[in-house]
Structures are given as structure tokens and as C-alpha cells.
């Protein structure tokens, strides 16, 4: 009997420990297409060009400067959360981005309570070039140098549930880390575009696109691994029972 319990407990420990490790870093993946292209960039990009985006997000980062400006709305920021960011446009243009201290790549959140009469939820990130170390790297497009990579998820439709809080009562800030599938639901965004790459020029040289969340494949891989470990423990249990 002790041996049977040990095999089963080992599987449970493996499940719990790996699940905990995955909770720290979440991979956000988006697909999409360009919906506008500045005339200056039309020789390189076209409306409808595909977008493929991935980034690792540390969900353990603590909120910075949380605030409750009104009874129904809270704000806060998360620094140093994004790493290994990449974006591919039309299969040929590749750029990389990451958080750099408090200067670039901060996740800024506005959360309005779901039962508010009016308001909005919003999550924004801006990764800027020209800040050492650069938080954006990518090749020039003709004579245009990449300037910034920007995300803007905005929802002004009631009930406001794109961003969920931690349930804190007024006057404390109702802010929780935006974990996809738990406290952040980007597909509820209602704005025309959620993504922009800006190139150096007159400030209007840019491409913008709409995004759709792609489920993280590792979740499925993890579930299969956990199922495999559970099956292994069960086979051991059956074998030990037969031996007994």
C-alpha cells in the first residue's frame, strides 16, 4: 500500500509543480491582418497582409502605481513583464520587442467594473526604439527605420469584462494582472485595430492591424503530459494490486 500511494502522489506532485511553473510565464500569441498602410509604405506592405505575434509574459509582476480615480474605475501598470516578443508581417518582415525597465514596454491597464453605467476597459503596450537597450529591433523598410511597436485593446461595451479586477473595494484599486483567459479577454476588444508598427518619418508612417488570440499550444501539450503521468501512475497501481 505505501508503494501505491507513493506512485500516485508522485504524479500529483509532478502535475502541481509543473502547473505552478507554467502560471509564472504565459505566452501570448496573436494572428491577424493589416487594415491600414501609410502611402509611404505601400510599396512594402498591403492591406490584408498577415500578422503573427508571440510574446512571453511574466504574470508574477507586481502592479505599479495602482489608483482608483473613480468608484467604478481602476488603473495600474506592470513593468518588466514582456520578453521574447516577435512579430512577422506577411511572412517576410520580422521584428523583436521586449520590456525595458520602466521606459518601454510597460503593460498599462484601465479596469471599469462590469456593473458600471459607463466607462471602458483598456490594455496598452508601447515598445520604443532608441532607448538603450533598445526594446524594439527590426530591419529598415527602404529608408524607414522602425520606431515603435504598439498594442491597444479597448472595450467600451457594457458589461465591461475585457479586463477583470481583483475584487478590491473602493477606495482600493481593483486591479489584477491581465492573465489571458482569467482576467484579460483580448477578443472582447471593440476598437478598429489593436496593433501598430510605426516607422521613423513624419510620425504618420505606420501599418496597423486587427488581432485574434491564438490559444497557447503548450496548454494542450501540458494536459497531454499530465494525462500521461496519471495513466502511468494508474498502470503502476493496477500492477501493484495484481502483485498483492
Amino acid at each position: 500500500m505505501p508503494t501505491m500511494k507513493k506512485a500516485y502522489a508522485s504524479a500529483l506532485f509532478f502535475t502541481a509543480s509543473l502547473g505552478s511553473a507554467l502560471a509564472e510565464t504565459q505566452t501570448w500569441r496573436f494572428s491577424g491582418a493589416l487594415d491600414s498602410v501609410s502611402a509611404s509604405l505601400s510599396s512594402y506592405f498591403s492591406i490584408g497582409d498577415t500578422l503573427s505575434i508571440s510574446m512571453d509574459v511574466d504574470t508574477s509582476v507586481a502592479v505599479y502605481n495602482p489608483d482608483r480615480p473613480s468608484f467604478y474605475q481602476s488603473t495600474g501598470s506592470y513593468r518588466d513583464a514582456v520578453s521574447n516578443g516577435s512579430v512577422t508581417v506577411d511572412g517576410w518582415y520580422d521584428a523583436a520587442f521586449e520590456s525595458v525597465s520602466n521606459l518601454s514596454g510597460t503593460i498599462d491597464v484601465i479596469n471599469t467594473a462590469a456593473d458600471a453605467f459607463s466607462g471602458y476597459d483598456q490594455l496598452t503596450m508601447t515598445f520604443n526604439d532608441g532607448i538603450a537597450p533598445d526594446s524594439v529591433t527590426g530591419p529598415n523598410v527602404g529608408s524607414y527605420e522602425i520606431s515603435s511597436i504598439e498594442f491597444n485593446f479597448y472595450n467600451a461595451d457594457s458589461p465591461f469584462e475585457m479586463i477583470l479586477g481583483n475584487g478590491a473595494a473602493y477606495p482600493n484599486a481593483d486591479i489584477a494582472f491581465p492573465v489571458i483567459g482569467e482576467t484579460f479577454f483580448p477578443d472582447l476588444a471593440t476598437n478598429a485595430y489593436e496593433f501598430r508598427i510605426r516607422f521613423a518619418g513624419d510620425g504618420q508612417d505606420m501599418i496597423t492591424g486587427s488581432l485574434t488570440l491564438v490559444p497557447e499550444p503548450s496548454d494542450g501539450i501540458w494536459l497531454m503530459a499530465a494525462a500521461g503521468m496519471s495513466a502511468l501512475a494508474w498502470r503502476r497501481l493496477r500492477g501493484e494490486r495484481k502483485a498483492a
Side-chain angles (χ1 to χ4, degrees):
M1 183 66 72
T3 304
M4 288 189 291
K5 288 184 177 179
K6 183 176 180 181
Y8 183 65
S10 297
L12 290 180
F13 176 78
F14 176 82
T15 302
S17 61
L18 187 52
S20 175
L22 289 175
E24 294 294 315
T25 300
Q26 185 181 56
T27 300
W28 295 4
R29 300 184 194 274
F30 298 95
S31 62
L34 297 183
D35 52 22
S36 73
V37 176
S38 297
S40 57
L41 300 169
S42 60
S43 296
Y44 308 97
F45 303 106
S46 301
I47 293 175
D49 284 352
T50 58
L51 291 168
S52 180
I53 299 169
S54 175
M55 69 190 87
D56 291 337
V57 180
D58 183 354
T59 64
S60 68
V61 174
V63 64
Y64 172 77
N65 198 27
D67 190 23
R68 189 79 173 254
S70 69
F71 182 83
Y72 286 110
Q73 194 171 75
S74 299
T75 64
S77 299
Y78 297 90
R79 299 174 168 179
D80 299 321
V82 178
S83 61
N84 301 317
S86 65
V87 54
T88 299
V89 184
D90 197 34
W92 68 269
Y93 183 80
D94 296 304
F97 59 91
E98 63 180 341
S99 297
V100 178
S101 184
N102 63 328
L103 300 175
S104 180
T106 297
I107 301 176
D108 296 307
V109 173
I110 298 173
N111 172 53
T112 294
D115 59 350
F117 296 104
S118 62
Y120 59 91
D121 287 351
Q122 187 174 25
L123 183 148
T124 58
M125 296 178 285
T126 300
F127 303 86
N128 294 303
D129 184 37
I131 298 175
D134 289 337
S135 64
V136 172
T137 56
N140 291 357
V141 175
S143 61
Y144 296 93
E145 181 181 356
I146 190 168
S147 177
S148 66
I149 290 178
E150 305 168 14
F151 295 83
N152 177 30
F153 298 93
Y154 183 93
N155 185 330
D157 288 351
S158 178
F160 308 105
E161 295 181 332
M162 186 184 75
I163 301 287
L164 302 181
N166 55 18
Y170 185 84
N172 296 318
D174 186 20
I175 288 290
F177 192 94
V179 177
I180 284 181
E182 296 181 16
T183 54
F184 176 35
F185 302 89
D187 284 346
L188 294 181
T190 59
N191 51 314
Y193 67 87
E194 296 91 14
F195 180 73
R196 172 186 292 166
I197 299 180
R198 196 184 296 271
F199 294 86
D202 61 2
Q204 300 302 314
D205 302 304
M206 68 182 77
I207 56 177
T208 68
S210 300
L211 301 179
T212 300
L213 179 67
V214 178
E216 170 52 36
S218 64
D219 293 344
I221 294 171
W222 156 239
L223 290 174
M224 289 188 289
M229 288 298 295
S230 297
L232 177 60
W234 176 246
R235 286 196 295 269
R236 288 178 178 173
L237 183 61
R238 290 188 61 188
E240 287 160 355
R241 281 179 176 171
K242 286 183 179 180

